[in-house]
Amino acid sequence: MEPAPETEDEIEYVTVYISDQLFGLPITQVHNVFKPEAITRVPLSIPEVRGVLNLHGRIVTIIDIRQRLGLPKQKNGQDTMAVKVEYKGESYGLLIDRVGEVLRLCRHNMESNPANLAERWCSASSGVYQLEGGLLVVLEVDQLLDFSGQAHAA
Amino acid sequence: MDDLLSEFLTETGENLDIIDVELVRFEREPNNAELLTNIFRLVHTIKGTCGFLNLPKLETLAHAAETLMGKFRDGAEVTSEAVTLVLESIDRIKEIMAILEATEIEPEESDEALITRLKTMAGATTVAIEDADQTASVDADQAASASPASASPASVDPQPKPAKLERRISSQSIRVHVDTLENLMTMISELVLARNQLLEMVRQNDDSEFKTPLHNLSNITAELQEEVMKTRMQPVGNAWQKMPRVVRDLSHELGKKINLEMIGAEVELDRQVLELIKDPLTHMIRNSADHGLESTAERLAAGKPETGRIMLSARHEGGHIIIEISDDGKGLDTEKIKQKTLANKLVSQADLDKMSPQQIYKLIFTPGLSTADSVTNISGRGVGMDVVRTNIEQLGGSIDVRSRAGKGTTFIIKIPLTLVIISALIVESAGHYFAIPQLNVIELIRTRSKADYKIEKINQTPILRLRDRLLPLIYLDETLKLERTGNNNFADPDSAVSKSRFPDKEDIFIIVLQVGSTSFGVAVDRVYDTEEIVVKPMSSVLRDIELFSGNTILGDGSVIMIIDPNGIAQTITDEAVSSAYEETQKTEQPSHPAREQTAMLLFRAGGPELKAVPLSLITRLEEIDVNTIEPSGGRKLVQYRGRLMPLLSLHDDQQWRSEGNQPVLVFTERDRAMGLVVDEIVDIVEGVLNIEVRDDQAQGCLGSAVIDTQITEVIDVGYFLTKAFSDWFTGNASSAATGRGRRLLLVDDSAFFRNMLAPLLNAAGYDVTLAKSAREALAMKEDGVLFDVIISDIEMPEIDGFSFAESLKNDAAWGDVPLLALFSKGSQANIERSKQAGFIDCVAKFDRESLIEVLQETLHDAEEVA
């Protein structure tokens, strides 16, 4: 089914669940969703990096979003998926619990992050949407993957 | 854009760059006719092409510049102003071309002023040229600017010849769009990966019919890959082309004398990376010239040579290209950096206090910092180092800085060579696999209690004793902080943490690596094959892990890290490097704390291999006129200072010179002299001498050593001395008897000295026993061996001479045995100290005569007392 083209006011988001929180990534930034296998750990790397893996001949860096956003660690045995994004010409896989629907939302409805939102989240998010089921936190890949400020602070 | 115009712009652009470089050289070598002709020809070509393409402004300008150059050709004096003017016009031509490229038409503004200046300068530099000539050239100018059409026949004529030449050269090369090459490269690396996968699959089946065709495929792939790689690589010199000009201009502007040295311009680099480093490099050179180098007055006051030196160098090192920019200026000012950092509130005082000078230098890369007191035109705010660093990091590279107050500063840029395919050793440690570049692997050792090596501990630090060398040893799992879980812990499966990694493990592998002049051992659990791997740069979030230089996908699809031997070397010698970085590029081997330095003479004799002999053994270096060499009784002799000196060659098939002078190393002792004939004397270097002795050592050779990163054969002088005079060491009959068969123990950790002194002592009549270390000697003592006299080196690792002597002071077995100390450098303090430790006397190692005498005396005294 061909998706109807977006109007200028609307953005399509791929929604994902991480630790029971709903997040959205602009569809233009998401390349695909895959199940990460055979992750090679990288010794001495920052905790946000779970490791690297080979996806169709490309080396993809796997990012632990929970670590990045300060969410509780995953329980053992929980299935994981990953969302593949590109940043500065490199491939990254963002670990998520499961994929939600693709939602088309109106830009106007996006609100700025609440003042009491944790710093880690604010730096990675450009705003929230109020949906019927709860809040959707919009993630910005650029900010999410900008570790320069964080590096070894954590 | 018109194809013709586009071609013109590209080619002329290149020519202008060449002219730049050549003009700067020409300024220094005004008598270089070849340079001048070259420059003239290039300018002339540009002028002609401009006329042909109907670009009057450019043509006029080029013509005026050509006229000035013509004056030089006619013998006029090459002044600095004249060259500056020509350079200025070259710059203006470039500007016009840039406008041409953008708008496809020449700019409106006229260059009258510049052209007039050029003409004036041309007129002024006339030496003995008639007015008629001048008017003729002026007329030609006017004709040229008035009617380009009529001028072109005149200027086209001389052109066809050079054009023909160039056409021949250009037909050997074609222009290809960069994207096309990019695609080719990507496809090639995919091909390599696919081939690796196939290899992996075929490896499983022993007798597969696919083996041979796959082998062929593999070879072809390798060749293809090599060829395509070549297309992307360009010499880094291309990025450096503008530098001589930049430095020359800076030199004038700043009123400082600056010399730019460029080393390694032929080192190749990916063309895109080349483009991107041009600006950062220029920026840093400007910085060095402006802020690094002191003014001429300051330099003289500091006792430095007037001319400041900036050195640009490049080299390959394990998958990276290393570019260094160093100056011999005043170095970085830590105080200033601290002040500015505090003033800009970038780091707290408390943190600053904890920092080492090395860390303070690194602060210059912080955004928002500027330590230049004044803003100058030349390098702006003086530091844009954060921008430079960002630029370099975007290429996947890194930048570091080293500095010494008053001596200078060096910036070190490291850029990965993307899409490089290298040979690597696959190893495993604690269940993790890694690749180690084959380039740096010297040796593989499997520990199973072989005699070749031993792992020892000095103060809890593991050291590998490999034959006669001591190397730092690191355990890979410790360095990488790898956890040993139940299934990969060898020592104790039940313990979650095992502090001592391989305590009971008999079977580990040690890989001996070498980086530059540093060698060390890396202990791993297991070593697998060597494989060809595609180096993929690390993701930017992982880039600052210095121990890895990249990662790769193996044949089985898994991703593994590539170890950077340099990174490991850094962890071992971090402190040592920053303090040893000083004057030269050679760093001492940090693993020999107690070794003395020996000055060695390097030479060649009978072959291209380097040979060496300790400088202090040589009495004199001579050049002997071959006509004075007389053959006699099968030998060659020469009159030397009142006596007949035999001349020996190292090899039987060594060629002696038939005319002119023959270099000879002269050895003398008392009234005897011997000359060793060599082909050429190469150098004198000082370093730690580690001689490796092979089982099949040829006569006349003590062994081989690595001197100044080259493998050198150390010759046994004693052998040749006795060849010349069989009784060299024994001298007259009486001294042969001095030994009288007394038992002598010689303790010295250096194989070289043991080998040098042993024959001497034997010849003097002593019954000589050798010990490599104090420990070995003490073991002999425990075994009940007795000696009449003991001679010991002082500078030895582990137990030094003093400790050895002290331990024998009240010893039951050896307490009364006279002890003699051997020094390589004597000093009053040492003599005092050795007496205190229990030595009777001291002798310099190279003073063989006094050694025998002192021995004699000591034993005489000892026996008298007894």
Side-chain angles (χ1 to χ4, degrees), chain A residues 38 40-46 49 51-59 61 63 87-88 90-92 145 147 151-152, chain B residues 190 193 197 394 432 434 479-482 536 538-545 547-548 551-553 557-561:
Chain A
T40 304
R41 300 202 92 103
V42 180
L44 306 178
S45 57
I46 52 177
V49 175
V52 291
L53 57 67
N54 166 12
L55 191 68
H56 311 306
R58 262 191 93 106
I59 298 187
T61 312
I63 305 290
Y87 177 56
K88 282 191 180 165
E90 296 171 339
S91 299
Y92 293 86
L145 295 176
F147 293 103
H152 309 281
Chain B
E190 302 284 329
L193 286 173
Q197 281 176 323
Q394 275 179 341
H432 290 74
F434 301 96
T479 307
L480 295 179
K481 300 199 181 41
L482 303 174
K536 302 228 169 178
M538 299 288 274
S539 154
S540 44
V541 319
L542 299 170
R543 205 158 280 157
D544 51 356
I545 306 177
L547 294 168
F548 300 128
N551 41 19
T552 185
I553 301 178
S558 63
V559 179
I560 65 170
M561 301 292 128

